Amino acid sequence: MLQHQSRANASTVSSVVQSSPVVLDNRKAPPPLDADRMRMYPRIGNRQIVGYGLKGKPEYFDLVMFPCPSIRWEADTPETAVLRKKEQGDWKQLSVDEKKRLYRASFRQTFEEFTASSGLWKWTLGWGLIALSALTLAYDGWRRIAYNFDKPSSMSDEKLKQQMQFHIAARQGPMSGLSSKWDYETGTWKK
Amino acid sequence: MALLLRSALAQALTKSVRPMWAAAMTSTGRRNMSSHKKETDEEFDERWKAYFDRPNIDGWDIRQGINHMNRLDLIPEPEIISACLQACRRVNDHSLAVRYLEAIRYKSNAVSKQVWPWILQEIRPTLDKLGISTPEDLGYDKPELALKSVDDM
C-alpha cells in the first residue's frame, strides 16, 4: 500500500466503530462490502492506522526503540468511541480509570510491562538441577544393573558365623565391643 | 542537545546543561573533520520545537517525530517535550502523550535516576495546563498486567 494513501486513510478523527468483539463470524455468510468494510484490512481488522511504525506496515509492536506503533491495539467499541469524544474536550475531566482505558485501547503493554524481566533464570536453574540429578540417578542405576556381581563366598551365613567365633576366640573388642558381650566361663552370650 | 546531567547540584544551579563529552571537546575547540557544518545544540532544539509547534500537525507526524527522536543518542530538552505534548493535545490523543513520557522515563532511567524527576519538574507547568497524567499517576511506573511476552508465543 502506498504510504501517502495509507496516511490519507489514517485519519485520527474517524475510525470504524465495531459493535461486537468478533469481527468475522465464519459460520455466517460473508458480509457485503461497503466503504467502511473496505477499510478493514484482513490482518488488522477494524483497528485504526495512526502512524508509520517500523517499515510502513500496519502492524502493532511494543518496542523500546520505537514507542509509537503504526496501529492502535484495540478497535473502537461504542464505549471507547464515547471516551474518544470525551478526549477531545478538557483532559482534566477524564478520570484516571478513563485515561487508563484509553491507554489500553491504544497500546497493549506499558513500558514497564514489556521491559520487565521474564524470570527465565529460575526455569534454567531448576531444569538444570533436575537434569543433573536425573543423570546422576541414571548413571547409578546403570552401574547397579550392568555391574551386578555375585557376592563373595565369605558373605554366606555359615562363614560369617565362623568368622564371629574366630573374633571371639581372639578376644576382639574386649572392653566395649564384641568379646565384652561374650561370657567365657559359660561359653554363651552374657545375660 | 544531550541531557546528560552530572549532579543534582549542577542541575539545580544551571538550566542549560552541556553533555559530558562537550567539556573535553570545548577545551580543544570543535573541529569538523568533514566539510559540512555541524549543527549546534540550539539549532537542534529550535528545529525540533518548530517541528512539533506546527499548528496543523497530525498524529502521523507526531509519531514519526517521537520514533525518530527516540533513536537519537539523547534525551530531549524539556522545551521539546512540552512542544510535543501540546501537539498531542491538538490531535486529542492523551495516550500518545503518556506513551511519550514513558519512553523518556525509560531512557532517562538508563542514564541516572536523577534525570526523570528533574524533567518532570521542568515540564510540570505544561502537564498541569493540559491535564496530562504522568505514568506514575496512572500507576504505570510498575507493571500492571502480566501479559505473555511476544517472544514466548
Side-chain angles (χ1 to χ4, degrees):
Chain A
M1 152 159 298
L2 299 170
Q3 183 180 349
H4 67 266
Q5 191 177 359
S6 64
R7 181 174 182 163
N9 293 342
S11 133
T12 52
V13 174
S14 68
S15 67
V16 178
V17 177
Q18 64 181 33
S19 45
S20 75
V22 175
V23 179
L24 272 183
D25 197 354
N26 283 338
R27 296 166 298 180
K28 301 199 208 132
L33 273 183
D34 52 12
D36 271 339
R37 210 167 299 281
M38 282 180 70
R39 287 184 61 205
M40 187 176 97
Y41 305 101
R43 289 185 69 207
I44 69 171
N46 282 326
R47 298 187 278 181
Q48 198 182 3
I49 297 182
V50 284
Y52 182 78
L54 275 179
K55 293 179 62 158
K57 295 191 165 179
E59 291 167 349
Y60 183 82
F61 50 83
D62 275 321
L63 293 172
V64 173
M65 286 204 299
F66 298 92
C68 306
S70 44
I71 55 175
R72 298 202 191 272
W73 173 238
E74 288 177 12
D76 277 353
T77 61
E79 294 87 26
T80 39
V82 168
L83 279 180
R84 292 227 184 271
K85 216 162 189 52
K86 206 174 170 189
E87 201 182 8
Q88 289 170 15
D90 193 6
W91 285 346
K92 299 192 187 54
Q93 311 295 328
L94 289 171
S95 69
V96 168
D97 282 329
E98 287 169 346
K99 286 179 177 174
K100 287 168 85 148
R101 179 74 202 101
L102 278 169
Y103 186 90
R104 292 290 175 187
S106 291
F107 303 106
R108 179 180 182 249
Q109 286 179 305
T110 69
F111 258 73
E112 280 293 318
E113 283 164 12
F114 65 76
T115 54
S117 59
S118 60
L120 187 65
W121 68 273
K122 300 173 197 169
W123 287 87
T124 312
L125 189 68
W127 280 112
L129 289 174
I130 289 173
L132 197 66
S133 49
L135 279 175
T136 308
L137 286 173
Y139 176 61
D140 187 48
W142 155 250
R143 284 188 67 216
R144 285 175 195 275
I145 293 169
Y147 303 119
N148 200 17
F149 302 123
D150 304 325
K151 277 184 156 182
S153 55
S154 56
M155 299 290 272
S156 63
D157 278 340
E158 303 82 26
K159 296 227 173 142
L160 281 174
K161 189 174 170 193
Q162 197 177 25
Q163 191 179 23
M164 193 197 261
Q165 288 170 342
F166 285 153
H167 283 328
I168 290 172
R171 303 316 195 258
Q172 299 280 352
M175 291 299 154
S176 56
L178 181 64
S179 303
S180 65
K181 297 187 174 60
W182 182 261
D183 193 359
Y184 285 96
E185 277 92 38
T186 53
T188 55
W189 292 107
K190 279 186 185 166
K191 301 293 180 289
Chain B
M1 174 163 125
L3 209 65
L4 301 171
L5 305 168
R6 248 166 299 182
S7 69
L9 187 58
Q11 56 183 297
L13 290 177
T14 158
K15 180 121 191 296
S16 73
V17 184
R18 291 288 147 210
M20 280 199 224
W21 50 260
M25 282 281 277
T26 47
S27 55
T28 59
R30 288 236 181 132
R31 251 181 273 122
N32 273 338
M33 295 304 163
S34 62
S35 56
H36 73 275
K37 282 169 86 97
K38 216 172 179 80
E39 200 179 33
T40 67
D41 294 348
E42 291 80 15
E43 284 170 13
F44 180 85
D45 292 343
E46 288 304 314
R47 189 161 58 84
W48 277 103
K49 228 182 302 177
Y51 179 80
F52 285 121
D53 275 341
R54 284 184 291 154
N56 53 354
I57 196 172
D58 66 343
W60 188 283
D61 272 339
I62 299 177
R63 285 174 167 84
Q64 274 286 67
I66 291 176
N67 279 349
H68 187 118
M69 218 175 13
N70 206 47
R71 296 209 63 193
L72 300 173
D73 186 19
L74 52 87
I75 301 169
E77 286 274 343
E79 289 91 17
I80 305 179
I81 303 178
S82 301
C84 185
L85 293 177
Q86 274 154 10
C88 292
R89 171 69 262 194
R90 286 197 287 274
V91 299
N92 302 321
D93 205 340
H94 177 263
S95 327
L96 181 61
V98 178
R99 187 73 160 187
Y100 183 47
L101 291 175
E102 268 194 292
I104 296 172
R105 175 175 180 267
Y106 179 82
K107 215 173 177 191
S108 56
N109 280 347
V111 179
S112 156
K113 284 273 184 288
Q114 299 169 346
V115 181
W116 177 241
W118 182 82
I119 291 182
L120 270 185
Q121 166 200 329
E122 290 291 317
I123 61 173
R124 185 57 67 181
T126 314
L127 293 178
D128 292 336
K129 183 169 70 126
L130 302 177
I132 299 176
S133 306
T134 65
E136 286 83 6
D137 294 339
L138 300 180
Y140 288 157
D141 53 333
K142 302 223 177 331
E144 188 190 28
L145 300 177
L147 295 173
K148 208 170 180 184
S149 163
V150 181
D151 305 323
D152 294 336
M153 295 186 186

